[in-house]
């Protein structure tokens, strides 16, 4: 569907691809639209909702400036998906051992690897850039417990919240591995550090900003690109470990296609409106013409492999998932374990109160989100999970 709502209260317009949006998220979009370095227009995806610093599902093009709070602290968070040669009839009747094998190899929640034995090539590639960041910003290093060890031990770890690893089946009963994770603790401290640095910088140079979370700082680009590379490497390492687990538990298989990778909390340098601009996607993925992307639903709901249509109204972007309908606190109040069990029927996953805030009803209807972005992407594959690992 085309743009469904256009906000014109700010200095630039905001093109919104849904009618379902909270007043708080609308206000966040209007605040960003007032900033002097935002260029052209802002796009709000069909899964847009209220976020910290900026609305989740927003795409913001800027000239010679970046808004650290618009990216947030889960820098480079994104998706990885890979199709296997296996089919549904080759899977065991019970998938409990498969989930256990994945959980044994990939630390989840606050856990990390005992030693940085995995992903050494990625670590070697990233270490010089991190050393330069620490040298330039000594206070950044102090924010992370055992900073020169923790970031290495967390490479190849899932984290918690809405991060997950899934085994899915497509419309032809082919098996896919799909996962969602980001830049872990090191990305969090980089985001927090530069958000605070940008606020202090703007307090010195600008009398008033529309909101304290919208300060900006150009130097951030080096740090955010490093964190994005770390997040990409983290997902590659998780995928390697998952495939190891599956080869132990399932019949022999081949990898059918090159893996699909996409960030959805990140900054890119792109051309729009005839200019080279910084484009911040917070809870949105790139959907250039012909580009493959991943749009997950919630645990228990469908997910989609899509191909971008390169729509300039969305700044070549689309939704990154279902988008939350309610806060985690509200979900825990409203639902019980029995609701979670019912809504994740047929999925081998945790069904305890620790993941109640991830219940499918806490998210928007993924089919409605997809219906609202038919002008942005076409569906290539429809996936339904049979295993879901969460932190």
């Amino acid at each position: 569907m085309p743009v469904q709502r256009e906000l014109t209260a700010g200095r630039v317009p905001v093109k919104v691809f849904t009618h379902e949006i909270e007043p708080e998220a609308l206000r966040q979009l209007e605040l960003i639209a007032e900033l002097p370095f935002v260029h052209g227009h802002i796009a709000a995806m069909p899964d847009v909702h209220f976020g910290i610093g900026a609305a989740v599902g927003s795409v913001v093009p800027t000239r010679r400036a970046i808004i650290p709070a618009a990216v947030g602290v889960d820098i480079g968070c994104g998706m990885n998906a890979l199709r296997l040669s296996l089919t549904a009839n080759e899977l065991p009747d019970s998938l409990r051992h498969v989930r256990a094998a994945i959980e044994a190899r990939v630390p989840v929640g606050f856990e990390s690897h005992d030693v940085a034995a995995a992903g050494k090539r990625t670590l070697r590639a990233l270490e010089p850039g991190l050393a330069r960041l620490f040298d330039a910003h000594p206070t950044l290093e102090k924010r992370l417990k055992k900073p020169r060890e923790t970031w290495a031990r967390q490479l190849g770890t899932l984290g918690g919240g809405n991060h997950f690893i899934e085994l899915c089946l497509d419309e032809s009963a082919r098996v896919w591995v799909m996962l969602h994770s980001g830049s872990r603790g090191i990305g969090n401290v980089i985001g927090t550090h530069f958000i605070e640095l940008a606020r202090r910088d703007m307090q010195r140079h600008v009398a008033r900003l529309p909101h304290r979370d919208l300060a900006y700082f150009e130097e951030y680009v080096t740090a955010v690109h490093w964190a994005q590379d770390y997040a990409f490497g983290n997902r590659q390492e998780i995928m390697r470990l998952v495939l190891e687990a599956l080869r132990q538990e399932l019949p022999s298989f081949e990898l059918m296609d090159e893996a699909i990778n996409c960030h959805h909390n990140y900054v890119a340098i792109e051309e729009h409106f005839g200019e080279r601009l910084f484009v911040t996607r917070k809870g949105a993925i790139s959907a250039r013409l012909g580009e493959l992307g991943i749009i997950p639903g919630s645990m228990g709901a469908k997910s989609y492999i899509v191909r971008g249509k390169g729509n300039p109204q969305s700044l070549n972007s689309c939704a990154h998932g279902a988008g939350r309908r309610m806060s985690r606190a509200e979900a825990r109040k409203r639902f019980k374990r029995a609701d979670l069990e019912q809504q994740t029927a047929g999925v081998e996953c945790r069904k305890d109160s620790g993941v109640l805030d991830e219940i499918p009803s806490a998210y928007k209807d993924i089919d409605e989100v997809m219906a609202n972005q038919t002008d942005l992407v076409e569906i290539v594959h429809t996936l339904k999970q049979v295993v879901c690992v969460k932190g």
Side-chain angles (χ1 to χ4, degrees), residues 1-317:
M1 293 179 70
V3 173
Q4 297 187 40
R5 185 171 183 175
E6 186 160 333
L7 311 178
T8 57
R11 194 182 58 80
V12 300
V14 181
K15 300 180 185 293
V16 186
F17 286 84
T18 180
H19 288 298
E20 186 184 354
I21 180 170
E22 324 102 302
E24 296 86 354
L26 283 173
R27 181 58 180 153
Q28 286 185 314
L29 293 167
E30 289 171 344
L31 288 171
I32 293 182
E34 294 176 20
L35 295 173
F37 46 83
V38 176
H39 184 61
H41 69 259
I42 295 169
M45 300 299 100
D47 59 339
V48 65
H49 59 280
F50 178 80
I52 298 173
V56 178
S58 57
V59 183
V60 184
T62 53
R63 274 183 178 146
R64 297 182 298 278
I66 300 175
I67 312 167
V71 181
V73 297
D74 198 1
I75 301 170
C77 187
M79 301 290 302
N80 192 342
L82 185 61
R83 184 170 59 162
L84 309 182
S85 61
L86 293 172
T87 57
N89 59 14
E90 295 175 273
L91 297 178
D93 291 337
S94 173
L95 292 167
R96 180 164 297 183
H97 291 296
V98 174
R99 177 163 73 97
I102 294 171
E103 291 172 341
R105 280 175 171 76
V106 182
V108 302
F110 293 106
E111 297 178 1
S112 61
H113 293 285
D114 291 336
V115 293
K120 288 185 177 179
R121 181 179 300 177
T122 302
L123 290 172
R124 285 195 297 270
L126 291 169
E127 192 164 18
L130 183 61
R132 287 192 293 272
L133 273 175
F134 283 164
D135 289 342
H137 300 275
T139 56
L140 177 60
E141 187 172 3
K142 295 175 183 177
R143 288 179 177 271
L144 195 63
K145 185 178 180 181
K146 297 182 179 179
R148 298 187 184 266
E149 176 185 332
T150 302
W151 76 279
R153 293 180 59 190
Q154 287 189 336
L155 186 72
T157 67
L158 185 65
N162 60 359
H163 294 166
F164 63 79
I165 300 166
E166 291 185 345
L167 216 60
C168 304
L169 301 176
D170 68 14
E171 64 286 337
S172 300
R174 288 282 185 187
V175 176
W176 288 70
V177 181
M178 183 172 71
L179 60 91
H180 172 211
S181 191
S183 53
R184 306 295 286 111
I186 186 64
N188 186 294
V189 298
I190 287 172
T192 301
H193 174 75
F194 277 93
I195 288 169
E196 293 179 2
L197 204 62
R199 286 175 185 161
R200 291 201 301 269
D201 183 66
M202 286 302 97
Q203 286 169 1
R204 289 195 301 268
H205 294 94
V206 181
R208 290 180 65 246
L209 283 173
H211 191 280
R212 66 188 299 268
D213 281 336
L214 300 182
Y216 58 94
F217 193 59
E218 278 196 64
E219 187 182 352
Y220 173 67
V221 68
T222 301
V224 78
H225 282 164
W226 185 92
Q228 288 167 193
D229 289 342
Y230 181 88
F232 184 88
N234 182 45
R235 288 193 292 274
Q236 286 185 312
E237 182 62 14
I238 293 173
M239 181 63 79
R240 186 186 72 79
L241 295 170
V242 171
L243 293 176
E244 272 188 5
L246 296 183
R247 291 191 191 282
Q248 172 187 307
E249 297 294 329
L250 300 178
S252 178
F253 59 84
E254 302 296 329
L255 310 182
M256 298 299 291
D257 308 286
E258 185 175 346
I260 304 169
N261 288 281
C262 56
H263 292 315
H264 55 230
N265 283 353
Y266 74 111
V267 178
I269 300 173
E270 300 176 357
E271 185 167 322
H272 297 275
F273 315 110
E275 295 187 45
R276 296 277 286 175
L277 302 169
F278 290 117
V279 177
T280 298
R281 292 185 175 91
K282 179 167 184 170
I285 66 171
S286 176
R288 298 190 306 270
L289 182 63
E291 183 177 22
L292 291 177
I294 309 162
I295 303 177
S298 58
M299 57 189 293
K302 289 180 284 187
S303 298
Y304 295 91
I305 305 298
V306 298
R307 183 177 288 113
K309 294 186 176 181
N311 190 319
Q313 297 292 298
S314 72
L315 301 167
N316 293 343
S317 307

Side-chain angles (χ1 to χ4, degrees), residues 349-375:
C349 64
R350 287 179 59 186
K351 300 178 190 286
D352 57 81
S353 59
V355 293
L356 196 57
D357 53 358
E358 284 292 299
I359 190 169
S361 287
Y363 285 84
K364 296 181 181 182
D365 183 345
I366 188 64
D367 290 326
E368 184 177 337
V369 169
M370 296 305 296
N372 284 334
Q373 58 182 350
T374 53
D375 283 9

